[in-house]
Amino acid sequence: MFKILEKKALNPTVVKMVIEAPLIAKKAKAGQFIILRSDDHSERIPLTIADIDQSRGSITIIFQIVGAATYKLNMLEAGDELHDFVGPLGRASEIEGLKKVCVIGGGVGCAIAYPVAKALHEQGSEVIAVAGFRNRDLVILEDEFNAVSQFYLVSDDGSTGQQGLVTDVLRKLLDQGEQFDEVIAIGPLVMMKFVCQLTKEYNVKTVVSMNPIMIDGTGMCGGCRLTVGNEVKFACVDGPDFNGALVDFDEAIARSKMYQQQERHMYDEACNLLNKGVSQDA
């Protein structure tokens, strides 16, 4: 069993948990993920490793309450234990040798972007980070990004930071002559698509994390299948990082919307049962 050492709400729908998992913490690297189950009746879900503390033997996860599994996970508190916590899985982000990088995060994708920015900072790279949110109430990890990068905060409505999109800041930086070894973009599929369209204009290599389409995390379900160049890849076992210029984002976006109606129904049904104290297997 894996004890929850800390739990903190980062905004109304995003929660941070620190989990006691010394064996995973010993080997985990930025960009990798874990698979967990809240209890023996829960759905398996993949979550990216948001931070690693080897001295404490802990792994930090950050999740958004968007479905039945994360709703159930959020019902646990510090001192409770997770039934399963498996990892590290996936390929670690390839950052060795990068001297200057722009890391871009969108919404809850910043939970994935932050450990990459931190790892770059720790190896001595110059890091410029750009994080975008719909409004001030949804901002997460602002202090953490400030500690490891030259940080730009943007919001759709202008309630915090600069008003606009992450691509507005990136274009301005590139127009000012900033030269990056690589741009790393992590967030909603649409955001990553437009970041890649922009960087293509400037001939800047861009790596994207395809975590948003992962489901099973083992390559068996096929839910995270995507086209990269002329090849079929699986985000969980071949990635989650890929050359953004080669990813067919339109295909990935279409697939991600296939089961929205069913997912909404399952979420509502599970929440109603849990609120009544009824097991999902009843």
Side-chain angles (χ1 to χ4, degrees):
M1 305 295 275
F2 301 87
K3 182 181 290 187
I4 301 171
L5 301 177
E6 299 175 25
K7 178 185 177 184
K8 180 182 179 182
L10 300 183
N11 69 34
T13 62
V14 177
V15 177
K16 178 177 83 170
M17 283 184 175
V18 180
I19 312 298
E20 185 177 46
L23 294 180
I24 298 175
K26 186 177 181 180
K27 293 185 175 292
K29 295 182 180 180
Q32 293 184 296
F33 64 96
I34 53 86
I35 289 179
L36 65 80
R37 288 197 301 164
S38 301
D39 58 41
D40 59 353
H41 299 301
S42 296
E43 176 187 0
R44 303 166 66 258
I45 54 172
L47 291 173
T48 299
I49 295 169
D51 208 350
I52 306 157
D53 188 334
Q54 292 187 346
S55 63
R56 191 182 186 187
S58 67
I59 292 292
T60 297
I61 56 173
I62 295 175
F63 61 93
Q64 187 171 25
I65 307 167
V66 293
T70 47
Y71 181 89
K72 193 171 185 180
L73 177 60
N74 187 52
M75 294 180 71
L76 301 177
E77 301 293 342
D80 292 335
E81 294 181 333
L82 300 175
H83 189 276
D84 294 323
F85 197 77
V86 179
L89 300 169
R91 298 166 62 92
S93 297
E94 297 179 2
I95 59 173
E96 186 177 353
L98 299 178
K99 296 180 180 179
K100 187 172 184 177
V101 181
C102 183
V103 178
I104 299 178
V108 74
C110 291
I112 308 171
Y114 166 68
V116 177
K118 180 183 177 184
L120 285 161
H121 174 74
E122 290 177 345
Q123 75 174 17
S125 304
E126 181 181 352
V127 184
I128 293 179
V130 185
F133 302 89
R134 290 199 304 273
N135 58 57
R136 177 177 55 194
D137 295 337
L138 300 180
V139 173
I140 62 172
L141 302 175
E142 182 177 1
D143 292 340
E144 287 83 350
F145 274 111
N146 271 312
V148 300
S149 69
Q150 179 183 335
F151 182 53
Y152 294 86
L153 176 63
V154 299
S155 59
D156 292 356
D157 64 359
S159 57
T160 188
Q162 305 176 34
Q163 183 171 11
L165 305 173
V166 293
T167 47
D168 297 332
V169 176
L170 179 58
R171 183 180 290 278
K172 185 175 180 180
L173 291 169
L174 293 171
D175 284 342
Q176 290 173 344
E178 293 282 7
Q179 296 185 353
F180 301 110
D181 296 329
E182 195 167 283
V183 169
I184 300 173
I186 306 170
L189 294 173
V190 172
M191 183 211 83
M192 293 191 289
K193 173 183 175 179
F194 283 104
V195 167
C196 291
Q197 286 183 356
L198 174 59
T199 53
K200 187 176 181 180
E201 296 177 29
Y202 294 82
N203 196 31
V204 179
K205 181 182 178 181
T206 304
V207 171
V208 296
S209 175
M210 299 303 290
N211 297 70
I213 64 172
M214 290 198 308
I215 302 174
D216 175 73
T218 65
M220 297 180 68
C221 74
C224 68
R225 185 175 69 255
L226 69 155
T227 302
V228 182
N230 294 318
E231 298 182 281
V232 174
K233 300 286 186 179
F234 293 88
C236 60
V237 293
D238 297 314
D241 293 349
F242 296 95
N243 183 337
L246 301 179
V247 172
D248 186 336
F249 279 104
D250 291 336
E251 176 191 63
I253 291 168
R255 181 174 290 119
S256 71
K257 296 178 179 179
M258 287 177 64
Y259 300 106
Q260 281 184 341
Q261 185 175 349
Q262 292 91 331
E263 289 169 352
R264 181 73 248 177
H265 175 73
M266 290 178 64
Y267 173 62
D268 291 339
E269 189 174 72
C271 291
N272 289 334
L273 289 172
L274 289 167
N275 284 332
K276 293 176 182 178
V278 179
S279 168
Q280 293 184 69
D281 291 345

